[in-house]
Amino acid sequence: MKGLIRNSFYAMENSLKISFFIAAFLSVMPCFAKNSSLIPVTISVQIYIFAMSIGTSLHADAAAKWDQFEIALPVPRNGIVKAKYIFYLLLMAAGLCMGSLTAAVSAAAGLPLDYLGLAYGFAHGLTLSAVSIGLMYPVMLKFGTDKNEMVLLLSAFCAVAFTIAAAAVLSPWTNGMNLHHPLTFTVFTLAAILIFAASYLLSVRIHRKKEF
C-alpha cells in the first residue's frame, strides 16, 4: 500500500509543487493587506487548493494506464481504494501545514489572531475538501477522467451549495444563516465525515465491479 501512496505523489509531483507555491504566496497575503480577517479565509483556500489537485493524479494514472497495472498487484481492490483515500487525507494535511504557516507568519507580522476564527478557517477548509473529494472520486472512478475539470468544478459547486443549504436549514436555531455558529460548525463537520466515509465505501464497490 505504501507503494500505491508513493505513486500518487509521483503522479502529481508537478501539481503539488504548484499547490505549495500558491499556498506559500497566499501565506503572506493577510500581512500585505494588513487585515487579520483574511487569515481564516486564506487558510480555507490553502487547504482546498491541495484537495482540488487530485484530478491531476487521477488523470495521470489513467493516461499511464496505471489503474490497469495496479489491479494486478498483490493488493485487494479495497486496499487500492484505501491507498487513494489515505493519500487524499495526506493532501489535506499538507493544506493544514500551509494554513499553520499562514497563522505563524501573520502572528510574526504583528497581526492579531482570533483563535476561534482560525479554528473555523481550518474546519471550513477541511469540510469543503472532504465533501468535494467525497463527491469527486467515485464519479471519476465510475465514468473516467476525460472531463475531470468539469467534475472538479461541479464537486466544488456542490460542496459550497451544501454548505449554504445546511446553513439555511439550521438558520432558525442559529439566529439566521450563521456559518460560524457552533451548531452549524458541528453539523458541517459530522456531515463531511459521513460523506467522506460513504464515498470510500461506494468507491470500493465501484472498483470491485469495474473492468479496466
Side-chain angles (χ1 to χ4, degrees):
M1 187 178 295
K2 290 182 180 178
L4 294 174
I5 297 173
R6 192 180 301 116
N7 175 74
S8 295
F9 277 108
Y10 290 151
M12 59 178 300
E13 181 178 358
N14 292 332
S15 179
L16 273 178
K17 290 178 180 177
I18 294 173
S19 296
F20 272 111
F21 177 79
I22 295 173
F25 175 77
L26 291 174
S27 294
V28 299
M29 290 304 294
C31 300
F32 282 121
K34 296 181 180 179
N35 187 348
S36 60
S37 65
L38 292 177
I39 299 174
V41 177
T42 301
I43 290 172
S44 296
V45 172
Q46 286 174 309
I47 297 172
Y48 203 62
I49 284 172
F50 285 90
M52 289 298 94
S53 63
I54 72 168
T56 303
S57 173
L58 295 174
H59 187 69
D61 284 349
K65 300 189 182 300
W66 170 256
D67 48 0
Q68 298 178 19
F69 172 75
E70 65 185 359
I71 61 174
L73 297 173
V75 179
R77 292 206 175 191
N78 66 323
I80 294 172
V81 175
K82 185 185 295 183
K84 290 290 185 185
Y85 278 80
I86 291 174
F87 173 66
Y88 301 150
L89 290 174
L90 292 175
L91 286 181
M92 286 189 275
L96 284 175
C97 292
M98 297 307 295
S100 300
L101 176 63
T102 298
V105 170
S106 299
L111 290 178
L113 296 181
D114 176 6
Y115 292 103
L116 184 59
L118 288 178
Y120 284 133
F122 282 110
H124 281 304
L126 289 172
T127 52
L128 285 175
S129 298
V131 172
S132 295
I133 293 172
L135 297 174
M136 187 190 317
Y137 181 68
V139 173
M140 288 190 175
L141 184 61
K142 178 70 174 179
F143 300 106
T145 61
D146 292 337
K147 297 183 178 180
N148 63 324
E149 293 88 356
M150 183 183 296
V151 176
L152 284 170
L153 289 174
L154 287 175
S155 298
F157 174 79
C158 289
V160 174
F162 167 77
T163 302
I164 295 173
V169 170
L170 295 171
S171 60
W173 300 278
T174 58
N175 299 318
M177 288 184 60
N178 186 355
L179 295 176
H180 291 169
H181 193 279
L183 177 61
T184 310
F185 168 78
T186 303
V187 171
F188 284 169
T189 303
L190 293 176
I193 293 172
L194 289 174
I195 290 172
F196 195 80
S199 171
Y200 165 73
L201 296 175
L202 177 61
S203 296
V204 169
R205 184 175 180 179
I206 293 172
H207 205 288
R208 284 174 174 167
K209 293 184 176 180
K210 187 172 182 177
E211 296 183 4
F212 295 90

